[in-house]
Amino acid sequence: MDSATSDLTGTRPPLRSTAENGLKIVIVGGFGVGKTTMVRSVSDIRPLNTEETMTRAGEGVDDLTDVQSKTTTTIAFDFGRISLNDTTVLYLFGAPGQERFWFLWDRLFSGTLGAVVLVDTRRLADSWYAIDRLEQHGMPFIVATNDFGGPHYSGEEVREALDLPEGIPLIECDARSRESSKEVLITLVNHLYDLSFSARESTT
Amino acid sequence: MKRPGRDDDPDRLYTVTGGRSRSETDAFDLVTLVVGECEPAAGMQSEHASILRICRSPTAVVEIASDLGLPVSIVRILLGDLHAAGRITARHPRTPATADQLPDPEILKQVLVGLRNL
Ligand SMILES: Nc1nc2c(ncn2[C@@H]2O[C@H](COP(=O)(O)OP(=O)(O)OP(=O)(O)O)[C@@H](O)[C@H]2O)c(=O)[nH]1
Ligand SMILES: [Mg+2]
């Protein structure tokens, strides 16, 4: 790679020339819950960040030519990447679960395989909104609780507080650990596999 | 009104994209892998030239956006131009585009094998 290219791409290693299928998994969670840490733990590259903006006409304003009547929503998110084999690359996105983020879900994350809701057990209520929205979007997900040293809650207690159905996997993790973060992703993909498999069984 | 940040200044975005908006560019997913089919040439718009340099190896739309420091929707428009001119090719993801369709179990199996081998 010449220097003009590395000025743009930094030290990021290039993908193989045979790479052809990009997949997405999203990690959603409240502020400071460990999203970027989890992406970093499993990514082949240092996490990158980018943003998306959406301009919407202001509501209840008559004169739409007035620039001030439009609002711009900006959502920043970070991501990492794992080359799974010669052709398949998995992109992991760490995304804030706050309200304005969901306006951009369809534009950014349609086609996502599934989501991990990362939860700090000291602030369980922070994840209610994200869980609601994933259910509404019909997006399969699992919940991973990150241990920040608060009081320990049993799986049943967390399930109850989140009103989480039995069929949705719930696991504990340490986002700083590569092995633990890998295990979270494997739990999600196993869950997706079960869903996909039984959906196919029931239609044949 | 919110103070515009570096990258969401409407005037700057208007200039970069020649005033067009998204519509025709929805084909580019965040993880569509883009491959340059020619070298940057003198006289090209600088963002187009940068994209061709970045895409000497397959690069996802979201990586290009991050490298250029531009919002994803603007990058999609720039990619639409280059694609229409035959200067890039796009490898689109082979996953269902709607949320209520589950991915193919074969793809999921590949993902599991890849993750276990990490
Ligand atoms: N004890 C403990 N600390 C963690 C864990 N995961 C992350 N942290 C720490 O928590 C802090 C926040 O982690 P981040 O990964 O930046 O969290 P984030 O969700 O990306 O935060 P925002 O993007 O700001 O919302 C950092 O100091 C991490 O080192 C964990 O599993 N256990
Ligand atoms: Mg973060």
Side-chain angles (χ1 to χ4, degrees), chain A residues 2 4-5 8, chain B residues 36-56 82 87-88:
Chain A
D2 64 37
T5 307
L8 291 163
Chain B
E37 297 297 337
C38 67
E39 284 298 307
M44 264 182 197
Q45 185 182 337
S46 74
E47 287 82 7
H48 287 170
S50 297
I51 291 172
L52 292 175
R53 273 197 291 276
I54 295 166
C55 297
R56 282 175 179 144
L82 288 167
R87 292 185 169 136
I88 57 167

Side-chain angles (χ1 to χ4, degrees), chain A residues 30-37 39-40 76-78 94-96:
Chain A
F31 290 112
V33 83
K35 304 177 294 288
T36 305
T37 304
V39 170
R40 183 181 298 113
F77 54 95
D78 46 25

Side-chain angles (χ1 to χ4, degrees), chain A residues 127-174:
Chain A
S127 56
W128 290 349
Y129 191 72
I131 290 175
D132 279 351
R133 297 311 293 252
L134 289 169
E135 282 175 343
Q136 260 172 40
H137 280 271
M139 175 56 53
F141 64 95
I142 66 163
V143 175
T145 58
N146 213 352
D147 181 9
F148 283 93
H152 188 268
Y153 297 98
S154 71
E156 291 91 274
E157 286 169 314
V158 175
R159 245 178 221 290
E160 171 135 332
L162 299 179
D163 192 18
L164 199 64
E166 273 307 314
I168 296 179
L170 168 70
I171 63 168
E172 294 180 10
C173 72
D174 184 335

Side-chain angles (χ1 to χ4, degrees), chain A residues 195-204:
Chain A
L195 292 174
S196 176
F197 192 79
S198 47
R200 256 149 237 255
E201 291 282 277
S202 66
T203 56
T204 50

